[in-house]
Amino acid sequence: MAEPDQLKGEQGIEEKIEQTRERFNNEFLKDSSDKYDLRDVDRLQKDNSMVEGYLMWRLYVVDDALKMIDESFQWRKEYGVNDLSESSIPRWMFETGAVFLHGYDKEGNKLFWFKVKLHVKDAKTIIDKKKYVAFWLERNVKKEPGMPLTVVFDMSESGLSNIDMDFVKYVVNCFKVYYPKLLSKMIIVEMPWIMNAAWKIVKTWLGPEAISKLKFASRSELQSYIDPEYLPPHMGGMDLFKYSYPPLPDDDFQTPISDNGPIVSEDEIESKESELESKDGVESSFNSEIAVKPKKVNFLEDNDKGESRSKGARKPVTTFKGTLLDISPAEELSFGCGDTEKKSLIILSNVAKNPLAFKVRTTAPEKYRVKPSSSTCEPGASIDIVVSLHGGSQASPQDRFLVMAAEMDNIGSQELAQFWKEVQKTKIMEHRLRCHVMESVKPAVSPQNETGNLGSNNKDINAALMRLVASNARLEQRVNMCMSVQKVLACMFLFLLMINLYCMQLLMTAQQLS
């Protein structure tokens, strides 16, 4: 029975998506296409997940989703969001460190920090400040699509002079209207009592769909949301990160630690890699396993050895289509809790016309081994990269991997270490992967079938939950309407009763006089 219900749910969502697109074209786009950036309109026509995001945030009510799309698209064109870059924002805004992305919460969501004490209300700079916030949000959406943010308002040492209600309302609208489903939670840390009235107003702006995401936390309560490793010392944490510009702060991606021998620098590792690669052309550069006599493996020819090495690794089922590489999986590396679930596989496929150099970095180099972490790939070829947990380490949602690739003119004439030093940043393709920890994995004959069944069950549950949420919303509206009618009837009854009593009093008075 689950399969027909699931199919019906998926068909219903697809119908809503097509209905939304058709009505947008007929009611909003017609005769007013200059209101929007055509790049946003084109994405709406092609990206189902984008349309579904607006629908989910508005409980699959098409009218409400269309209003949200119209408002957000107009905002994106007004602020030129698609063209925002470091050069379009005043440098002094980056240097203040009032807003930045850094660290993760316990659920693996990126932290978006607002240092309230650094914000000063100024009508002359408010537009640039709003573009500055949009720059960070758009940067995160492009780097980690579909990944929510946890907003942290650091209220330490702040006062009423730092509260700009227009700016706060804009930030709220960014998550309420402009970026659906982007907000995981909004944490207000150590809010002074004198600001209670201001934040009561803010709560009314959030609306029922986001009010549950607002958390007021003291210093001691904050660690229930964020581990100490991502909290600064003044919040009881151990993170010694100090914001500075330039460059922009980003995930701390590093080269994985070598299995044998001491930790060495990236330059030393890449130098050793280039020595191995220059001897045999396209071969593995085990910079995570440097031995006296390194074992040579040709990933393009020696299939048996490649299969042996990747044996037991979780096979990816989704693919990201990039400009230079197709990368599987598209978004997440999955790891289980058991000893047999400590490997995951990344498959890189060269879709460019020239040979590629690639390298893989991670935010937790002490926990993972990546084989190979750096090498080359011929046009049309594919390479399997095995990512395995080291020793008793456990995967975490906060862990990230970065795959970097760039085109090479000639593999034989270029050393990798020198190539990565000289290649222009604009020519490097980057793609981020996050880690997903499977709570329990049932053994199955086919990993693909198992993953397919899990995906089907998840879609079935999500569809049922969405129907339940929509049904509850409609029921709540009807209850509220009934309550309103009941209040009106009660008022009318009291009014009539008072008139009746007044008339009886007049009648009794008249009888006494007579």
Side-chain angles (χ1 to χ4, degrees):
M1 292 300 293
E3 292 183 1
D5 290 341
Q6 176 191 342
L7 183 60
K8 183 178 179 181
E10 291 176 353
Q11 289 175 343
I13 294 173
E14 291 174 359
E15 290 174 2
K16 290 275 188 180
I17 292 174
E18 291 306 318
Q19 182 184 353
T20 302
R21 285 191 177 124
E22 183 177 353
R23 287 189 56 186
F24 179 80
N25 293 336
N26 295 334
E27 301 173 22
F28 292 85
L29 193 59
K30 190 176 181 181
D31 301 326
S32 60
S33 59
D34 58 332
K35 290 199 309 181
Y36 315 119
D37 187 322
L38 294 181
R39 287 169 289 184
D40 294 326
V41 175
D42 182 63
R43 186 182 166 204
L44 186 76
Q45 306 299 330
K46 297 178 180 178
D47 189 348
N48 284 354
S49 62
M50 179 184 187
V51 185
E52 187 175 357
Y54 285 108
L55 285 168
M56 285 183 65
W57 198 240
R58 286 295 174 257
L59 301 177
Y60 289 92
V61 178
V62 175
D63 287 337
D64 294 344
L66 286 169
K67 292 177 183 177
M68 187 177 181
I69 293 171
D70 174 56
E71 187 175 348
S72 63
F73 276 21
Q74 288 190 60
W75 167 78
R76 290 181 67 85
K77 182 171 183 179
E78 178 185 355
Y79 283 81
V81 176
N82 287 316
D83 298 313
L84 287 178
S85 62
E86 288 183 57
S87 60
S88 62
I89 307 292
R91 181 185 174 97
W92 67 265
M93 288 191 176
F94 289 103
E95 292 175 341
T96 62
V99 178
F100 59 90
L101 291 165
H102 173 70
Y104 303 92
D105 67 9
K106 287 190 173 183
E107 297 173 352
N109 302 314
K110 193 79 175 178
L111 298 178
F112 191 27
W113 293 89
F114 283 81
K115 298 284 187 178
V116 179
K117 71 175 182 179
L118 299 177
H119 178 80
V120 179
K121 186 175 182 179
D122 184 359
K124 295 180 181 179
T125 61
I126 187 63
I127 297 299
D128 284 331
K129 287 178 181 177
K130 290 179 178 181
K131 287 185 177 181
Y132 184 49
V133 173
F135 166 83
W136 282 108
L137 293 175
E138 192 71 7
R139 175 183 171 88
N140 180 77
V141 167
K142 289 179 179 178
K143 284 191 171 185
E144 298 194 61
M147 193 65 186
L149 286 176
T150 290
V151 179
V152 183
F153 280 95
D154 183 0
M155 307 288 287
S156 59
E157 302 179 34
S158 62
L160 288 177
S161 61
N162 303 117
I163 294 294
D164 181 350
M165 298 307 287
D166 177 53
F167 181 71
V168 173
K169 189 172 185 177
Y170 168 79
V171 174
V172 169
N173 272 338
C174 283
F175 294 99
K176 182 180 177 182
V177 180
Y178 308 145
Y179 289 94
K181 298 197 307 176
L182 185 60
L183 181 64
S184 169
K185 63 182 76 69
M186 185 178 290
I187 307 175
I188 317 299
V189 186
E190 295 286 0
M191 186 182 71
W193 66 269
I194 199 170
M195 295 185 183
N196 282 335
W199 281 102
K200 284 181 180 178
I201 297 174
V202 173
K203 288 176 70 173
T204 64
W205 295 337
L206 286 173
E209 72 278 358
I211 195 67
S212 62
K213 300 177 182 292
L214 186 61
K215 313 292 182 184
F216 292 89
S218 63
R219 173 173 167 171
S220 59
E221 295 168 337
L222 186 58
Q223 293 190 19
S224 62
Y225 304 109
I226 305 171
D227 286 325
E229 64 177 309
Y230 291 117
L231 289 175
H234 75 273
M235 290 184 174
M238 303 177 294
D239 190 356
L240 300 180
F241 169 79
K242 297 289 185 182
Y243 176 90
S244 62
Y245 179 83
L248 288 174
D250 206 342
D251 296 308
D252 187 20
F253 288 106
Q254 303 174 39
T255 303
I257 297 174
S258 68
D259 281 336
N260 299 320
I263 302 174
V264 294
S265 69
E266 181 172 331
D267 289 342
E268 290 173 340
I269 292 174
E270 289 180 345
S271 177
K272 291 178 182 295
E273 292 170 352
S274 62
E275 291 175 5
L276 296 177
E277 285 156 2
S278 62
K279 295 179 181 179
D280 295 274
V282 184
E283 68 176 9
S284 166
S285 59
F286 286 90
N287 74 331
S288 59
E289 193 167 307
I290 303 172
V292 177
K293 295 181 179 180
K295 185 178 180 180
K296 301 173 184 178
V297 180
N298 189 319
F299 286 97
L300 305 181
E301 298 176 2
D302 197 346
N303 294 327
D304 292 338
K305 294 182 180 180
E307 291 176 1
S308 175
R309 188 183 60 258
S310 62
K311 185 178 180 181
R314 184 179 294 276
K315 305 298 190 297
V317 295
T318 58
T319 301
F320 167 78
K321 302 290 185 179
T323 54
L324 303 178
L325 286 172
D326 284 353
I327 302 174
S328 299
E331 296 181 359
E332 294 182 337
L333 283 174
S334 295
F335 295 89
C337 298
D339 294 336
T340 59
E341 298 292 333
K342 290 195 171 186
K343 287 184 179 181
S344 197
L345 194 65
I346 302 175
I347 302 176
L348 306 182
S349 299
N350 186 351
V351 295
K353 296 179 180 180
N354 297 317
L356 296 179
F358 71 86
K359 59 181 177 179
V360 181
R361 298 292 178 259
T362 177
T363 58
E366 73 285 352
K367 292 169 60 175
Y368 298 94
R369 299 295 178 262
V370 181
K371 302 179 183 180
S373 65
S374 179
S375 189
T376 55
C377 185
E378 290 281 5
S382 295
I383 287 184
D384 290 355
I385 299 175
V386 179
V387 180
S388 57
L389 284 161
H390 176 64
S393 300
Q394 294 294 326
S396 169
Q398 290 96 339
D399 300 339
R400 296 291 193 275
F401 286 85
L402 174 67
V403 180
M404 305 171 66
E407 286 189 281
M408 305 180 73
D409 295 331
N410 190 321
I411 288 181
S413 63
Q414 289 179 288
E415 293 185 353
L416 279 182
Q418 190 65 26
F419 171 79
W420 284 114
K421 290 179 181 178
E422 297 175 354
V423 66
Q424 296 179 18
K425 188 175 181 180
T426 56
K427 294 184 179 181
I428 299 176
M429 169 190 155
E430 294 186 355
H431 184 68
R432 287 162 168 74
L433 298 169
R434 54 183 178 265
C435 290
H436 175 65
V437 182
M438 306 290 291
E439 292 184 1
S440 60
V441 181
K442 296 180 180 180
V445 176
S446 173
Q448 293 183 348
N449 290 340
E450 179 184 358
T451 309
N453 291 336
L454 289 171
S456 298
N457 291 336
N458 288 337
K459 290 181 179 179
D460 189 19
I461 293 171
N462 287 337
L465 286 176
M466 287 304 104
R467 290 195 296 271
L468 180 60
V469 170
S471 177
N472 286 342
R474 291 192 295 269
L475 181 60
E476 184 178 357
Q477 291 176 353
R478 292 175 184 174
V479 170
N480 291 336
M481 185 180 297
C482 290
M483 293 291 290
S484 300
V485 173
Q486 186 179 14
K487 290 178 181 179
V488 172
L489 291 175
C491 291
M492 291 178 63
F493 174 76
L494 290 174
F495 180 71
L496 292 173
L497 181 61
M498 291 176 65
I499 292 177
N500 188 28
L501 293 173
Y502 181 69
C503 291
M504 290 179 64
Q505 186 179 6
L506 290 176
L507 182 61
M508 292 176 64
T509 303
Q511 287 177 352
Q512 289 175 0
L513 292 175
S514 61

